[in-house]
Amino acid sequence: MDIRWLKTFIICAKYENFRKASEDLFLTQPAITKHIKRLEEHLNIQLFDRKGKAVSLTPAGYKFLPYAKEFVSKYEEGIDSFESWKHGYSRKLTIAVAPQIAASFLPSLLRTFIDENPDIEVVINIVKSFQIGDEINSGKADLGLSRVKPLQENLNVKMIHEEPVILVGASVGYEGRQDVESEVLPTYTLITHNHPEYWDSLLNDVKRHYPTVRTMVVNQVEVTKKFIENGLGVSYLPLSMVKDEIEKSHLSEIKSENVSTPTSATYVLTKVETTETHSFIDFLRLAMLERF
């Protein structure tokens, strides 16, 4: 039996449409038909009823479908495990990470962790903060890194780090930018809602002190930083997300005067704590303490 026949059968069963299956698999319709015919011949039973261009699963097709999915899943899992072994890995750690974290401090810290743990294969899944809990619950990830607490109550949640949120502007790019809050906020656009947790209360406080402040919503941190560097405004961002840019003089910290700046927390999410997750959590806690 060819594993391709099973994969084709699963996609055809999903759509009950050979044309859509061919588009999904980047195969011609004759190739799809050939795979299904070969599989039916191998099993000696019909899996699809064909009425013109319409197809539907037969009772045998419905019965065989979960076995096909399990077989393909086990096959792919085995291949992944074998490839990991070939590259010298004996353990694996899959981490679901919020974009804000993946684009800031994680890469440099991850490089050190991998160097210190060469036998652990690290897989990174970038997902939105509110999806990380689902990734852990479904078993798609062993550990999650998020800027917000999950809604799921069955997960283990640890605050691994807490840091200040600071007001930042461009070091160069527009003339006359002041280094104090009271001169900057009435003058330049405040870029908002690039962090999932603190903006609603923070913006209320800003408007209380600076009711004429102009705002612009930009929901991604990396885009926010590029906007700031190009003189399009200022924003409140966690220190870890701008530390490198401040050190390189791409951004600069603006002194706070009236607005009460919040803090930002980094949370680690797990469901079943393993040796690998413990190793990573201990490493991350120490690394972030030393760096920030």
Side-chain angles (χ1 to χ4, degrees):
M1 185 186 297
D2 192 324
I3 191 71
R4 294 176 301 169
W5 304 348
L6 294 176
K7 292 180 178 180
T8 299
F9 166 68
I10 291 168
I11 298 301
C12 288
K14 174 182 176 181
Y15 294 116
E16 291 194 319
N17 186 303
F18 284 5
R19 179 184 60 79
K20 288 184 178 180
S22 70
E23 293 172 355
D24 194 308
L25 294 168
F26 299 100
L27 294 172
T28 64
Q29 287 193 54
I32 294 290
T33 302
K34 183 178 180 181
H35 285 183
I36 297 302
K37 183 178 179 182
R38 291 285 180 85
L39 181 59
E40 289 177 330
E41 289 174 349
H42 181 83
L43 297 173
N44 195 30
I45 199 166
Q46 188 174 334
L47 300 173
F48 289 96
D49 283 324
R50 299 161 176 82
K51 296 179 180 178
K53 294 183 178 180
V55 296
S56 59
L57 284 170
T58 64
Y62 278 110
K63 180 68 176 178
F64 183 65
L65 182 58
Y67 299 119
K69 288 180 176 178
E70 183 179 4
F71 187 94
V72 170
S73 175
K74 290 294 184 183
Y75 170 82
E76 292 177 343
E77 182 181 332
I79 290 296
D80 287 345
S81 179
F82 182 64
E83 288 297 321
S84 295
W85 176 83
K86 286 199 302 182
H87 289 91
Y89 299 121
S90 59
R91 297 183 289 166
K92 186 174 182 177
L93 177 65
T94 302
I95 307 173
V97 187
Q100 302 95 334
I101 296 174
S104 53
F105 63 82
L106 183 63
S108 60
L109 299 187
L110 196 59
R111 183 173 59 247
T112 303
F113 178 78
I114 291 172
D115 289 343
E116 293 178 359
N117 299 272
D119 63 324
I120 299 179
E121 179 185 10
V122 179
V123 178
I124 301 295
N125 294 338
I126 310 298
V127 296
K128 294 179 179 179
S129 295
F130 66 87
Q131 295 175 325
I132 292 177
D134 292 335
E135 290 284 300
I136 304 296
N137 267 329
S138 65
K140 294 179 181 178
D142 305 303
L143 181 146
L145 292 176
S146 177
R147 289 288 186 177
V148 296
K149 287 185 177 180
L151 297 175
Q152 295 86 350
E153 297 181 354
N154 64 321
L155 298 178
N156 303 313
V157 181
K158 297 178 181 177
M159 187 176 72
I160 199 76
H161 182 69
E162 189 172 29
E163 62 190 283
V165 172
I166 62 174
L167 180 60
V168 293
S171 293
V172 294
Y174 55 96
E175 296 180 358
R177 183 185 61 74
Q178 303 297 313
D179 289 326
V180 291
E181 168 196 295
S182 59
E183 294 179 339
V184 168
L185 289 179
T187 306
Y188 297 104
T189 299
L190 178 62
I191 301 173
T192 68
H193 291 89
N194 38 42
H195 189 282
E197 195 159 69
Y198 57 71
W199 266 108
D200 289 339
S201 58
L202 175 58
L203 192 53
N204 285 335
D205 194 29
V206 170
K207 288 183 175 180
R208 184 165 61 87
H209 293 287
Y210 307 100
T212 61
V213 66
R214 293 172 297 170
T215 62
M216 175 171 57
V217 174
V218 177
N219 62 8
Q220 291 187 12
V221 169
E222 290 305 301
V223 176
T224 296
K225 291 192 288 188
K226 289 296 182 184
F227 277 26
I228 296 172
E229 287 179 24
N230 285 278
L232 291 173
V234 298
S235 189
Y236 289 92
L237 293 169
L239 175 61
S240 65
M241 295 184 181
V242 293
K243 186 174 185 290
D244 289 343
E245 287 81 3
I246 290 175
E247 290 176 350
K248 295 174 183 176
S249 297
H250 295 165
L251 301 175
S252 65
E253 182 176 358
I254 298 168
K255 181 181 177 182
S256 247
E257 295 173 301
N258 301 310
V259 176
S260 298
T261 54
T263 58
S264 175
T266 300
Y267 299 97
V268 172
L269 285 56
T270 57
K271 188 171 184 180
V272 178
E273 296 198 1
T274 63
T275 303
E276 292 76 25
T277 60
H278 274 300
S279 296
F280 186 79
I281 291 170
D282 290 343
F283 163 82
L284 187 62
R285 181 182 285 110
L286 181 60
M288 294 192 72
L289 184 63
E290 291 176 347
R291 181 168 181 180
F292 305 113

